[in-house]
Amino acid sequence: KFSPSNFRNTDSNFLLNVHMYGGELVIKQVDVYVEILGKSETVTYDGQKHTLSGYDLSFTDESGLFSLSMLKVSGTAAAEGTDAGEYPVSIRGGSVTSTSKNFNLIVHYRDGKLTILPAEVTVDVVGKVDERTYNGQTQTLEGYDLTITDPSGLFSKDKLSFTGEAKAEGTNAGGYELELHATDFTCDDTNFLLVIHTENGKLTIRPAAVTVTVKGKSAELVYNGKKQSVEGYDISVSSDPSRLYK
């Protein structure tokens, strides 16, 4: 504090009339940038309810004088879920304050995330295999066998849909593929991720067995002093279970 008496004129040519106006020292608050980040976690679907709560705090303070112990945070940050998907961990119904009035808090909230991944299920699909004998008719082979590997123990066969055609058919002797495609197998339950391996089946039609007897011609001729010959043969089918050989 000071008064007009604190000022003395050293030049007698002037008569001082002193007016006093007080000054002011202003100490501004230090800006502190605070980030509140909800917890994050990833789990795999197991049919159970999963819960995640909590948050992490961080701050930026150029003064170097602030500490986390000066923060007071209220409110909750939690998420829960059962099915595969993403659930935000958000700060709700809270406030952030400083125990010291020397700091101005600038708060940013960032959601965390509870991620429940689909359970992986391996499906091995093997097409039917069969061998048959030619019978002159169209022959058909249909179907496949499934092997399901499911570590979660929650997947059932009835969740699997097949939209293709597992079929091979043919008439003539030869091999006919029973084609299978992984894209024809789907599951509408998003809690499961299918890994599908396929192996084609095959219908093999063997030639029908036919026994043919070939008998050369015979002849009795009288000697005539010249070269004589006999030609030709006879063919007969001695065995034809299919009854189709002509």
Side-chain angles (χ1 to χ4, degrees):
K1 294 181 179 181
F2 54 89
S3 66
S5 62
N6 296 124
F7 295 87
R8 183 169 57 88
N9 181 18
T10 59
D11 189 338
S12 61
N13 292 313
F14 299 94
L15 176 63
L16 293 183
N17 185 12
V18 180
H19 298 276
M20 303 295 298
Y21 298 95
E24 183 181 16
L25 171 63
V26 177
I27 301 177
K28 297 175 64 178
Q29 291 178 309
V30 175
D31 287 340
V32 176
Y33 295 88
V34 179
E35 181 177 82
I36 302 180
L37 175 62
K39 293 284 188 180
S40 291
E41 184 178 52
T42 298
V43 298
T44 299
Y45 172 76
D46 59 5
Q48 304 298 314
K49 180 180 291 185
H50 291 268
T51 301
L52 177 62
S53 61
Y55 49 81
D56 294 315
L57 295 172
S58 63
F59 67 90
T60 302
D61 165 34
E62 294 182 356
S63 73
L65 300 172
F66 189 79
S67 66
L68 284 178
S69 62
M70 298 178 181
L71 275 179
K72 293 179 64 177
V73 181
S74 64
T76 59
E80 65 179 25
T82 302
D83 294 330
E86 296 181 347
Y87 303 86
V89 180
S90 305
I91 307 295
R92 294 289 181 267
S95 63
V96 181
T97 58
S98 171
T99 58
S100 172
K101 65 181 180 180
N102 293 318
F103 300 97
N104 175 46
L105 302 185
I106 301 171
V107 183
H108 296 279
Y109 297 93
R110 290 176 56 196
D111 287 351
K113 184 167 57 178
L114 169 62
T115 301
I116 302 179
L117 299 176
E120 187 172 292
V121 176
T122 301
V123 181
D124 293 297
V125 188
V126 179
K128 294 287 188 179
V129 175
D130 196 13
E131 290 190 4
R132 302 174 186 175
T133 301
Y134 173 76
N135 62 8
Q137 306 295 317
T138 298
Q139 302 192 62
T140 301
L141 175 64
E142 296 183 81
Y144 50 81
D145 295 315
L146 290 175
T147 301
I148 296 175
T149 303
D150 169 31
S152 75
L154 299 171
F155 188 80
S156 57
K157 185 178 177 180
D158 59 2
K159 294 181 182 291
L160 192 64
S161 299
F162 178 61
T163 59
E165 182 181 55
K167 181 178 180 180
E169 63 180 11
T171 302
N172 296 322
Y176 301 88
E177 287 287 309
L178 190 156
E179 294 187 357
L180 295 169
H181 305 282
T183 53
D184 290 333
F185 293 87
T186 59
C187 174
D188 292 333
D189 191 334
T190 56
N191 290 316
F192 300 97
L193 174 64
L194 298 186
V195 179
I196 299 176
H197 305 286
T198 61
E199 181 180 331
N200 289 344
K202 189 174 184 180
L203 169 63
T204 301
I205 300 179
R206 299 185 301 265
V210 176
T211 302
V212 177
T213 301
V214 181
K215 184 177 181 181
K217 295 286 187 180
S218 297
E220 289 186 7
L221 303 175
V222 177
Y223 173 74
N224 62 9
K226 298 179 181 180
K227 181 186 290 186
Q228 300 186 69
S229 62
V230 62
E231 297 180 357
Y233 53 82
D234 294 318
I235 299 177
S236 63
V237 177
S238 55
S239 176
D240 175 20
S242 71
R243 300 181 179 181
L244 297 171
Y245 188 78
K246 297 179 181 181

